[in-house]
Amino acid sequence: MHRRIIALVVAAALVGGVVGAWRGSPAAGQVVGVLRTPLGGEPPTADPYFATDFSSGDLSFLMYTTLVGFDSKGRLVPEGARSWEVSPNGLVYTFHLRENVRFHSGRKVTAADWKWSFERMGDPALRTSVADVVLAGIEGYDAQQKGAPGLAGIKVVDPMTLQFVLNPKARGGFLNRLAYYAAVVLDRDVVEKGGKGWYESRDAGSGPFMLREWVHNDHVTLTSDPHYFLGAPRIARVEMPIVTQATTRLSEYQAGQLDLVQVPLADFQRIKAHPALGKELLVFPRAQIIWLGPNPRVYEPFKDARVRRAFAMAIDKSKIARTVFFGFYQPAASIVPPGIPGFYSGYRGLPYDPEGAKKLLAASPFAGKLPPLVIAMNPIAQDYQMAAEAVAAMLKDNLGVDVRLQKTEFANFQQGMNRRTVFPAFMTGWAADYLDYSDYLDLLLYSKSPLDRVSYANPEFDRLVDEANAAPTEAARTSLYHKAEALAVEDAAIVPIVFTQFALLKKPYVQGLQTTPALSGWLRFNTVSVQR
Amino acid sequence: MPPSIPAFGTDLSIARPGVRMPRAPALLRAVRRDWPGAAAAGVLALLVALALGAPWLTGYTYDRQDLDHAFQGPGRAHWLGTDQYGRDLLTRLLYGARVSLTVGFSAVAAESIVGVAWGTVAGFYGGRLDAALMRVVDLLIAFPSLLLAVLVTGIFGPSLVTIVLALTMTAWPAMARTIRSEVVALRERDYIEAARALGARPGRMLVRHLVPNAVHLLAARATLDVSALILTEATLSFIGIGVQPPRPSWGLMISESFQFLQSHPYLVIVPATALCLTVVSFNVVGEALTERLDPRQRQRG
């Protein structure tokens, strides 16, 4: 009897302890000055030069510094550089660095650090994922790829002055490319002493937050750097639990375990109508397009522009935006989304015209004998699959084509799309890495781009893009880009479906968050404060 | 003969008239004896009928979208309502049943043929042949079945045929092992001995004596396997490598509507319930068959 009482007491204490601990973890997070926001998956890396997915990208963005950045309106702002000058011929960029930028080790960031970092980025032995985007226009980049030591076009004028010399055939938008979250400076000591996985235990950055703890497949914790050059962050820590399911992230937000999450589209309406959550919802344009890629190399009829155009005109984008996406997304007439400077507003694109589409198809040699079409769907977001389902039904109804859909695993999809000889058509999306036209037209449709998965290869389009990139003024560049864009849309090289939006849920006690159409929807958290 | 004995029997039949049922039809008797089994069999019969009648029952096709009438609850036009693309949920459910049953039955048929042939040959001949055949079975059983299915659909691309192939590959080794163990036991029986003494050829003994005597195991096992295979098909479709949209399968329907779990839970509940009911029914019928067809178990009951 006595023993049983002791056992009961012990059991009660254990249960109490477990419950206490379970309650304790959110309570510990409620200390003022901690922001909790999830990562959608285990980051494959924390080396910014390899960070092309959202988890690694989010981490890099918070811990590292670029020369220039963009504000919440998409305007370029000074970041690691205090100011810059461009030579009259547009080929020499001179940056004056800020005096107070320091690595997390305390060492001052100098022009030599930038040069070393960018040379590492371009190192052909390393084959970083971002070199082509950031460095391609710099003089000496091609030579470096062929084995020349260093990057001749980057010059250290003095410890606080850095110069870039571009080659005359440079691709435009150089400043915007420097604002790419991956174009950052690295602490050479950390990278060289840390070996292959140098980023696992500490970062090499100079951003507002630094890596404190990374428990794989569980969470990442960042602490603020009180010496951050734009002023010490107003929160002590950023806690980023890794939560792979969107619905779980939402439940955790509702349970008060997270302070900032993205809302999956399926829950938009419910949350908007919710009396409490509706007030915590932020909806704003995202620089992302969902598009259908017709692949002429696999599906013979797509070689005929009339067939592609007929397909584009048989898709009721407005209806898709209104019903499938609950009116939260807007129908896309053009390719480059709003939020990118120079957005082609007012352009109508191809109309929804099923009768006209039928006539176009009838005029082509494929009339009445279109083989079944398989559309592969990018599995990374449910949005793409929803668009594909609706498009398939519309093509079947309006053109009588037998359209089937194919779900594949993400790596498989990515590989198949990039090889260009696998999928007859695919539904996917493209979101901004940096806010510039070149991030869309040059990458997705220019004939020499490795990402031109629809094998567009139209010399007229290439010429317009080349001219745009060599244009003397921004206005001239934009107008040439618009011509190229209209050409691609009317050729139906790709079929734009919708421009998307961000929907974030943010607790009312989180203040000072700056949003952006790019990345995950927010700028660095150094302006954020958490006040309960 | 003492007069008390027939009297005793008569008394009993009057006191508990339900027990004897001398003239009740066999079916009814079976139902009374095992009502869960009978109910499950009824559910399955209904399901098969509905699946066969799917094209004529609802007046909709499974892929016809009506985007302006999405997320409608049950009503007169759509008895079970519509999904996120305005497609008739009942139609999709019935076509989903077609997929589940087709895949389940054909995979079981295929695994039975392979498994029975493999198992009887191994069990009957024994020795080195048995050892060799059963090591192959061991190897395949040791391999995680879902992974094998993923591998097969990954290599040959997702289609109904590859799904059936994949499921067959994962299921037949267990069937072969069951049949072999039975055949090994039967082989030593007197009547086999007798057949051998009379000069029956091995092939004749296999077909005429061994297979028929192992068939009760086959029937019960196959019924249980149908439920497991339907579940595996649903799993494959749920993770996206099974049935491809817009064709419906219960697993795919759950997967496509999963994101609406909080806002429109009904869209997940309907196919999940159908799946659950079907799987449970096959299991109950399988258990009932095991009891009824196995002579040893019947004596106990």
Side-chain angles (χ1 to χ4, degrees), chain B:
Chain B
M1 193 178 280
S4 64
I5 289 174
F8 179 68
T10 319
D11 284 352
L12 190 71
S13 69
I14 292 165
R16 302 213 316 248
V19 172
R20 278 174 69 187
M21 298 177 302
R23 304 239 183 277
L27 185 68
L28 195 64
R29 205 161 51 215
V31 171
R32 295 246 179 125
R33 191 184 300 161
D34 182 9
W35 70 263
V43 167
L44 293 182
L46 183 69
L47 188 74
V48 171
L50 287 175
L52 287 176
W56 301 279
L57 284 174
T58 59
Y60 296 96
T61 57
Y62 63 78
D63 58 352
R64 177 80 192 183
Q65 298 188 356
D66 183 0
L67 293 175
D68 290 319
H69 295 95
F71 298 114
Q72 296 207 328
R76 188 172 288 182
H78 300 278
W79 291 1
L80 283 183
T82 61
D83 71 358
Q84 63 266 40
Y85 304 104
R87 300 180 295 204
D88 185 61
L89 203 56
L90 180 61
T91 310
R92 290 182 64 74
L93 199 68
L94 297 184
Y95 274 93
R98 285 189 146 202
V99 170
S100 290
L101 294 176
T102 311
V103 168
F105 286 144
S106 16
V108 161
E111 69 144 334
S112 300
I113 293 168
V114 181
V116 168
W118 200 280
T120 42
V121 167
F124 182 71
Y125 290 100
R128 277 198 197 156
L129 180 65
D130 180 27
L133 291 178
M134 293 324 284
R135 286 308 78 72
V136 175
V137 165
D138 289 344
L139 193 77
L140 285 170
I141 284 181
F143 204 82
S145 61
L146 192 62
L147 207 63
L148 187 63
V150 169
L151 196 74
V152 173
T153 48
I155 292 170
F156 298 107
S159 78
L160 272 187
V161 176
T162 43
I163 295 168
V164 171
L165 182 73
L167 295 183
T168 307
M169 281 185 65
T170 64
W172 76 263
M175 175 71 90
R177 187 182 268 181
T178 310
I179 297 294
R180 174 197 170 266
S181 67
E182 183 70 10
V183 169
V184 166
L186 291 175
R187 185 172 70 180
E188 310 302 331
R189 295 284 175 86
D190 292 342
Y191 65 90
I192 300 290
E193 205 59 39
R196 196 172 290 148
L198 287 173
R201 274 170 288 114
R204 185 181 163 80
M205 279 196 282
L206 268 177
V207 177
R208 289 295 298 272
H209 299 293
L210 286 174
V211 172
N213 277 293
V215 85
H216 66 93
L217 268 181
L218 172 68
R221 166 120 214 154
T223 315
L224 292 174
D225 274 4
V226 173
S227 82
L229 292 174
I230 285 179
L231 214 51
T232 311
E233 179 276 319
T235 310
L236 289 178
S237 297
F238 181 82
I239 60 178
I241 54 175
V243 173
Q244 295 297 307
R247 186 191 275 257
S249 133
W250 292 337
L252 184 64
M253 287 168 76
I254 296 174
S255 147
E256 285 194 326
S257 300
F258 197 70
Q259 52 169 336
F260 299 105
L261 188 62
Q262 294 201 30
S263 38
H264 303 277
Y266 179 71
L267 291 179
V268 175
I269 292 171
V270 168
T273 308
L275 183 62
C276 185
L277 200 63
T278 308
V279 167
V280 169
S281 298
F282 271 111
N283 275 335
V284 171
V285 170
E287 291 295 338
L289 283 179
T290 315
E291 269 180 33
R292 288 186 60 77
L293 295 177
D294 185 346
R296 277 158 295 183
Q297 295 237 11
R298 194 159 34 184
Q299 278 158 16
R300 221 195 308 146

Side-chain angles (χ1 to χ4, degrees), chain A residues 99-119:
Chain A
E99 295 281 349
N100 60 344
V101 183
R102 288 178 182 279
F103 287 117
H104 295 144
S105 63
R107 191 165 67 79
K108 196 170 164 180
V109 177
T110 65
D113 290 308
W114 282 101
K115 181 169 165 69
W116 179 83
S117 299
F118 277 34
E119 284 178 349

Side-chain angles (χ1 to χ4, degrees), chain A residues 245 247 250-251 254 265-267 269-270 319-320 322-324 326 377 382 385-387 389-394 396-397 403-408, chain B residues 62-68 70-71 84-85 87 92 154 158 237-241 243-246 252 255-264:
Chain A
Q245 289 289 325
T247 43
L250 198 56
S251 314
Q254 281 179 267
L265 178 88
D267 293 290
Q269 277 191 315
R270 183 175 63 87
K319 192 168 193 175
I320 293 179
R322 196 181 69 239
T323 59
V324 177
F326 311 113
M377 307 182 286
Q382 205 81 32
Q385 295 172 36
M386 293 164 74
E389 292 256 15
V391 162
M394 286 173 179
K396 194 175 174 187
D397 281 355
V403 182
R404 296 170 204 164
L405 300 172
Q406 188 188 347
K407 274 183 157 186
T408 51
Chain B
Y62 63 78
D63 58 352
R64 177 80 192 183
Q65 298 188 356
D66 183 0
L67 293 175
D68 290 319
F71 298 114
Q84 63 266 40
Y85 304 104
R87 300 180 295 204
R92 290 182 64 74
S237 297
F238 181 82
I239 60 178
I241 54 175
V243 173
Q244 295 297 307
L252 184 64
S255 147
E256 285 194 326
S257 300
F258 197 70
Q259 52 169 336
F260 299 105
L261 188 62
Q262 294 201 30
S263 38
H264 303 277

